[in-house]
Amino acid sequence: MAPLTPVDAETPTFDELFAKSPVMAILRGMPADKSVELAVRAWDLGIECVEVPVQTEEAARVLAAVVAAGRERGKAVGAGTVTTTERLEWAVSAGAAFTVAPGLAAEVAQASIDASLPHLPGVATATDVQAARALGLTWLKAFPASVLGQGWFKAMRGPFPEVPFVATGGIDASNAAAYLAAGARVVAVGSALEDPEQLPLLADLLASR
């Protein structure tokens, strides 16, 4: 693909994005108004980082709406499920501040970096981790975390103590603290933001960090 025009605004690094909160919110498959509502709920709870997956062009329009809401509050919003360069183009057009993928694709990762968007690829093995780091990617997404299990994070701290992982997939307010204790630096939650019973637990988790 032809190189994308780098975004104009200076985008934050993942170190900066995750400095204030160990929780990221994923808003998948919802209309724009519901996504903005939940993004505001996340920001009010103290969750700084919000991701909107962009599997379709309609989802990219939802991302643009959340980006606009975030801009009013000074919050960065990222694009998730960026598995192709076409989806990366959607993310850039929507104003995303970073990109996330379920796996590692060197072409997509490099194109995102070239567009000045930090990229968070999914990894599940030591080989994945080495390949991602060789591309210069710092933060990595452990996916699917519920299948990998908490033991995966403890095991990876041996060979990769310097690598910060974001636990994603199957994380909610009931198990988020356990994944953080196991070695994940950040946990990503989705449906928990819609569950009134989980919101107080998320608030307690954020207050304890």
Side-chain angles (χ1 to χ4, degrees):
M1 65 174 286
L4 295 171
T5 302
V7 296
D8 293 333
E10 184 175 345
T11 54
T13 66
F14 284 121
D15 284 343
E16 294 167 334
L17 286 167
F18 295 134
K20 295 181 180 178
S21 171
V23 179
M24 180 167 75
I26 302 176
L27 308 177
R28 180 187 297 277
M30 292 175 283
D33 56 349
K34 184 68 173 179
S35 296
V36 170
E37 175 189 335
L38 292 183
V40 170
R41 184 174 299 169
W43 294 324
D44 287 347
L45 274 173
I47 298 173
E48 293 286 320
C49 204
V50 170
E51 168 198 331
V52 179
V54 290
Q55 299 100 316
T56 64
E57 286 192 88
E58 174 56 30
R61 287 189 279 273
V62 173
L63 168 62
V66 179
V67 167
R71 192 170 290 133
E72 293 178 358
R73 291 169 168 248
K75 307 295 185 184
V77 178
T81 320
V82 179
T83 55
T84 66
T85 51
E86 179 184 43
R87 292 182 182 181
L88 175 60
E89 291 172 1
W90 296 346
V92 171
S93 296
F98 60 90
T99 59
V100 184
L104 174 63
E107 180 188 20
V108 175
Q110 189 59 57
S112 186
I113 293 169
D114 291 345
S116 302
L117 296 183
H119 185 66
L120 182 68
V123 298
T125 68
T127 301
D128 293 343
V129 174
Q130 287 187 226
R133 297 289 283 187
L135 292 170
L137 302 169
T138 52
W139 284 74
L140 305 179
K141 163 181 163 177
F143 179 79
S146 61
V147 175
L148 296 173
Q150 295 162 25
W152 186 93
F153 294 89
K154 295 176 181 176
M156 286 297 181
R157 288 172 64 180
F160 304 113
E162 76 285 8
V163 179
F165 292 105
V166 179
T168 306
I171 306 296
D172 59 24
S174 69
N175 61 11
Y179 277 90
L180 291 171
R185 289 277 297 278
V186 171
V187 293
V189 300
S191 59
L193 290 169
E194 296 185 272
D195 184 348
E197 294 185 1
Q198 292 198 48
L199 290 176
L201 296 175
L202 279 178
D204 290 344
L205 174 65
L206 290 162
S208 69
R209 297 284 164 171

